[in-house]
């Protein structure tokens, strides 16, 4: 094996967003583009010119188009860098939560995950790369920022001239002095699940005829869900639909929400609907849960799991605390208060949960963007959430809908919706946010669109563990009754900018829990328009997605 030093150059915009570097496949196909990023990462991790002697790297992706090409390129660079071992998922496959489990169980120094999450795949779709550290979680901002700064000054990268490695059979091969181990992508994650949930109770549920429909959206969640649900828990064959990971996700958008999974929603609202529906996204970290004729909102899902966690073996000791991202509804806060445990409010992005989990300050965390997870790994975890719900249904004897209605009865309903304005020209979106931020200091005490504003701010977060500060994480406009409107720009899009408007109102009166959500939130929509002037700024009459 010969080490090669090849030229690269700074590429524009290799700045990682909410979760890693995400671009069109065609951008990643530029010569030396991926390599530039990986070289900058390795330089930051080990020091320029320094080797990764004795260290193990985990490597895998969600199987989307370009996955195999990228894996071979990274294997060559890892060998040139002197890694002792690289653990690759068979076929180049590792879901995001599984990669986190593998890093932790094998004590690797970190892992590279190739995924653009829920973004569409295929030659015209998106690709992405992210690094997770030794705790199994997304790299913190100080590392991603340093990697970005380094991408701006690189002139060379190091690789080797070895042929492609065989990735389809389990086993070990040498690449220079590096041992490339092709591992079963499912085994470690399944072992973690077995340790947390009452598999016997769930087996009993399926044995009694309980029907689940799990839509894996032609993405990487399929093999994981099939192995555990059908292979171990006795769910009938076919419980997991769209289970084979496809390079282009069948041309669909593998994002588990009602807008992108209409088939699943239709099925769950049909006369012969199964008892429970679920879906996971491109890299299987997001989840959506449905009951018969009932969609569970992600914020309510987190709150229900927190309220009943003590019924599940892995959380029998109770919760140290709960965390949610700032735009996520306050349902979890209400449950945490009743349980007498803290609820932390963090910026959007799973990486902000890492320190709290490592320090043992929280056990469960979740986000409005269909992410839920716990301290079992350092990523959100789609299959974990589905198993948690199955375990609760099995041991409480309540349906999915009954569990959510129980939450509403006890704590009131946090009526919630997110309005997305997609593909706005970036300058327009930035102007909207800049003008809104200028107006912020004047908003408190004003009545706008008939709503009396109690306070407004631009959310900033100081990490209680390491003291790091993250500013400008989203504008909050809050009324006296705690109703709120939150506005922020997405960090995961690849086309223009996406404005997200989050709307929340607490409804204590059970007689009003079934009012149409958009109707209940209409006054807040009017307030958002009046404070941010969304229509004139975006030129859009209405949001492109309402969820
Ligand atoms: C990523 C992060 C999530 C975050 C989401 C927000 O999700 O991992 O923690 O909630 O982005 O997306 P946006 O910035 O577009 O609102 P994923 O599933 O895309 O990795």
């Amino acid at each position: 094996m010969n080490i090669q030093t090849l030229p690269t150059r700074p590429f524009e915009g290799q700045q990682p967003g909410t979760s890693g570097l995400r671009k069109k496949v065609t951008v990643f196909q530029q010569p030396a583009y991926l390599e530039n990023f990986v070289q900058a990462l390795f330089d930051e991790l080990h020091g320029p010119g320094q080797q990764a002697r004795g260290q193990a790297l985990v490597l895998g992706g969600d199987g989307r188009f370009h996955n195999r090409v990228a894996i071979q390129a990274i294997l060559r660079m890892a060998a040139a860098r002197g890694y002792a071992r690289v653990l690759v998922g068979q076929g180049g496959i590792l879901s995001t939560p599984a990669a986190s489990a593998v890093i932790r169980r094998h004590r690797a120094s970190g892992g590279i995950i190739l995924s653009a999450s829920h973004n569409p795949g295929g030659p015209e779709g998106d690709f992405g790369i992210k690094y997770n550290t030794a705790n199994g979680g997304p790299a913190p901002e100080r590392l991603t920022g340093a990697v970005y700064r380094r991408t701006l000054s690189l002139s060379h990268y190091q690789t080797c001239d070895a042929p492609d490695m065989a990735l389809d059979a389990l086993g070990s091969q040498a690449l220079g002095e590096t041992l490339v181990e092709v591992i079963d992508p499912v085994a470690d994650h399944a072992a973690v699940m077995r340790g947390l949930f009452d598999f016997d109770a769930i087996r009993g549920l399926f044995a009694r005829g309980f029907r689940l429909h799990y839509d894996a959206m032609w993405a990487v969640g399929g093999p994981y869900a099939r192995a555990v649900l059908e292979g171990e828990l006795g769910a009938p064959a076919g419980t997991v639909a769209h289970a084979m990971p496809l390079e282009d996700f069948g041309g669909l958008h593998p994002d588990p929400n009602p807008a992108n999974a209409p088939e699943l929603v239709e099925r769950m609202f049909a006369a012969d609907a199964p008892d429970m529906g679920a879906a996971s996204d491109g890299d299987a970290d997001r989840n959506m849960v449905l009951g018969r004729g009932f969609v569970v909102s992600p914020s309510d899902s987190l709150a229900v799991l927190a309220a009943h966690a003590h019924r599940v073996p892995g959380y029998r000791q109770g919760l140290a605390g709960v965390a949610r991202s700032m735009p996520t509804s306050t349902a979890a806060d209400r449950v945490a208060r009743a349980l007498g445990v803290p609820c932390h409010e963090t910026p959007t992005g799973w990486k902000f949960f890492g320190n709290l989990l490592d320090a043992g300050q929280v056990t469960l965390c979740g986000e409005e963007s269909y992410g839920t997870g716990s301290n079992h790994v350092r990523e959100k975890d789609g299959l974990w959430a589905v198993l948690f719900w199955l375990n609760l249904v099995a041991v409480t004897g309540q349906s999915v809908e009954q569990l959510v209605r129980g939450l509403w009865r006890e704590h009131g309903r946090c009526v919630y919706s997110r309005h997305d304005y997609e593909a706005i020209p970036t300058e327009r979106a930035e102007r909207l946010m800049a003008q809104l931020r200028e107006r912020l200091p004047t908003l408190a005490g004003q009545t706008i669109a008939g709503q009396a504003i109690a306070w407004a701010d631009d959310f900033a977060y100081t990490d209680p563990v390491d003291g790091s500060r993250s500013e400008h994480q989203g504008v909050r406009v809050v009324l006296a009754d705690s109703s709120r409107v939150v506005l922020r720009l997405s960090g995961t899009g690849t086309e223009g900018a996406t404005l997200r408007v989050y709307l929340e109102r607490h409804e204590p009166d059970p007689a009003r829990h079934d009012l149409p959500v958009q109707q209940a939130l209409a006054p807040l929509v009017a307030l958002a328009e009046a404070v941010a002037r969304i229509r004139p700024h975006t030129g859009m009459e209405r949001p492109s997605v309402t969820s």
Side-chain angles (χ1 to χ4, degrees), residues 145-314:
V147 171
Y148 170 60
R149 287 188 293 280
R150 193 169 285 280
T151 63
L152 301 175
S153 62
L154 284 181
S155 57
H156 290 85
Y157 72 92
Q158 276 209 324
T159 184
C160 61
D161 65 354
D164 280 0
M165 304 300 283
L167 299 179
D168 291 313
L170 301 179
S172 304
Q173 315 150 60
L175 179 55
E177 296 189 356
T178 302
L179 196 64
V180 175
E181 294 176 39
V182 178
I183 60 166
D184 176 350
V186 170
D188 286 294
H189 186 260
V192 176
M193 297 300 104
R194 230 173 274 131
L196 292 174
F197 299 111
D198 186 342
F199 271 28
D200 285 337
I202 302 175
R203 231 175 256 127
L205 188 69
F206 284 122
R208 291 193 295 279
F210 184 87
R211 288 189 303 143
L212 167 72
H213 181 80
Y214 187 119
D215 187 344
M217 304 190 93
W218 301 120
V220 80
Y224 294 88
R226 211 174 230 176
V228 172
L229 296 168
E230 297 180 14
E232 276 195 59
L233 295 172
T239 295
V240 184
H242 304 147
M244 163 79 102
L246 300 179
E247 283 200 329
D248 66 349
F249 308 120
L252 302 173
H253 195 157
D255 193 4
N257 60 45
N260 289 311
E263 230 181 85
L264 172 62
V265 174
E266 199 177 304
R267 177 116 196 219
M268 294 308 298
F269 281 76
D272 64 341
D275 300 289
M276 177 171 153
S280 50
D281 74 330
D283 59 338
D285 56 358
R286 296 186 176 203
N287 78 90
M288 171 168 67
V289 167
L290 302 94
R292 196 180 277 160
F294 191 87
V295 180
V296 183
S297 85
S299 298
D300 281 346
S301 180
L302 172 65
V304 168
L305 301 190
H308 294 276
H310 59 283
R311 302 182 197 282
V312 166

Side-chain angles (χ1 to χ4, degrees), residues 56-409:
L57 179 72
V58 172
L59 178 59
D62 62 13
R64 66 179 61 223
F65 185 81
H66 204 59
N67 193 48
R68 283 177 180 261
V69 177
I71 286 196
Q72 297 293 351
I74 296 168
L75 279 175
R76 282 191 274 270
M77 290 184 71
R81 203 70 190 210
Y83 273 95
R85 298 190 299 149
V86 183
L87 284 75
V88 197
Q90 187 178 17
I93 292 287
L94 276 179
S95 77
T96 291
S100 185
V102 174
I103 294 170
R104 293 167 68 81
R105 285 169 67 87
H106 294 263
R107 300 188 191 289
S109 57
I112 293 179
I113 306 172
L114 302 165
S115 171
S117 187
H118 55 285
N119 295 20
E124 310 297 319
D126 293 343
F127 193 74
I129 178 167
K130 53 187 177 178
Y131 183 74
N132 282 26
T133 50
N135 71 347
E141 278 190 330
R142 62 178 180 283
L143 175 57
T144 56
V147 171
Y148 170 60
R149 287 188 293 280
R150 193 169 285 280
T151 63
L152 301 175
S153 62
L154 284 181
S155 57
H156 290 85
Y157 72 92
Q158 276 209 324
T159 184
C160 61
D161 65 354
D164 280 0
M165 304 300 283
L167 299 179
D168 291 313
L170 301 179
S172 304
Q173 315 150 60
L175 179 55
E177 296 189 356
T178 302
L179 196 64
V180 175
E181 294 176 39
V182 178
I183 60 166
D184 176 350
V186 170
D188 286 294
H189 186 260
V192 176
M193 297 300 104
R194 230 173 274 131
L196 292 174
F197 299 111
D198 186 342
F199 271 28
D200 285 337
I202 302 175
R203 231 175 256 127
L205 188 69
F206 284 122
R208 291 193 295 279
F210 184 87
R211 288 189 303 143
L212 167 72
H213 181 80
Y214 187 119
D215 187 344
M217 304 190 93
W218 301 120
V220 80
Y224 294 88
R226 211 174 230 176
V228 172
L229 296 168
E230 297 180 14
E232 276 195 59
L233 295 172
T239 295
V240 184
H242 304 147
M244 163 79 102
L246 300 179
E247 283 200 329
D248 66 349
F249 308 120
L252 302 173
H253 195 157
D255 193 4
N257 60 45
N260 289 311
E263 230 181 85
L264 172 62
V265 174
E266 199 177 304
R267 177 116 196 219
M268 294 308 298
F269 281 76
D272 64 341
D275 300 289
M276 177 171 153
S280 50
D281 74 330
D283 59 338
D285 56 358
R286 296 186 176 203
N287 78 90
M288 171 168 67
V289 167
L290 302 94
R292 196 180 277 160
F294 191 87
V295 180
V296 183
S297 85
S299 298
D300 281 346
S301 180
L302 172 65
V304 168
L305 301 190
H308 294 276
H310 59 283
R311 302 182 197 282
V312 166
Y315 308 100
R316 200 139 276 161
Q317 308 308 320
L319 306 176
V322 178
R324 63 162 173 88
S325 66
M326 180 273 282
T328 304
S329 99
T330 53
D333 306 43
R334 294 167 202 274
V335 170
R337 207 174 304 134
L339 293 174
V341 299
C343 181
H344 298 261
E345 185 176 39
T346 59
T348 294
W350 204 263
K351 57 181 172 254
F352 292 104
F353 296 136
N355 280 345
L356 293 167
L357 291 165
D358 283 348
Q361 295 192 19
V362 305
T363 311
L364 295 191
C365 30
E367 297 183 282
E368 52 68 41
S369 54
Y370 293 86
T372 0
S374 85
N375 56 357
H376 68 290
V377 287
R378 291 295 180 273
E379 287 281 3
K380 52 192 184 271
D381 190 338
L383 182 58
W384 170 89
V386 175
L387 291 168
F388 205 135
W389 273 93
L390 285 169
N391 198 149
L392 292 185
V393 169
V395 300
T396 62
Q398 294 186 41
S399 70
V400 168
E401 177 170 354
Q402 284 170 332
L403 285 164
V404 177
R405 288 197 180 273
L407 170 81
W408 295 350
R409 247 193 333 273

Side-chain angles (χ1 to χ4, degrees), residues 324 326-328 330 333-334 345 436 439-440 442-448 450-459 474-487 502-506 523-524 527-528 531:
R324 63 162 173 88
M326 180 273 282
T328 304
T330 53
D333 306 43
R334 294 167 202 274
E345 185 176 39
L436 177 60
R439 266 190 97 175
L440 263 184
T442 68
L443 291 179
Q446 280 200 58
T447 297
I448 297 179
Q451 307 298 312
I453 298 172
W455 56 272
D457 75 349
D458 191 356
F459 182 59
V475 167
R476 307 188 278 189
V477 181
V478 184
L479 309 183
D481 69 354
S482 82
S483 295
R484 59 180 194 153
V485 174
V486 172
L487 299 101
Y502 310 83
L503 310 146
E504 176 180 356
R505 198 170 76 78
H506 184 247
L524 294 179
L527 173 65
V531 294

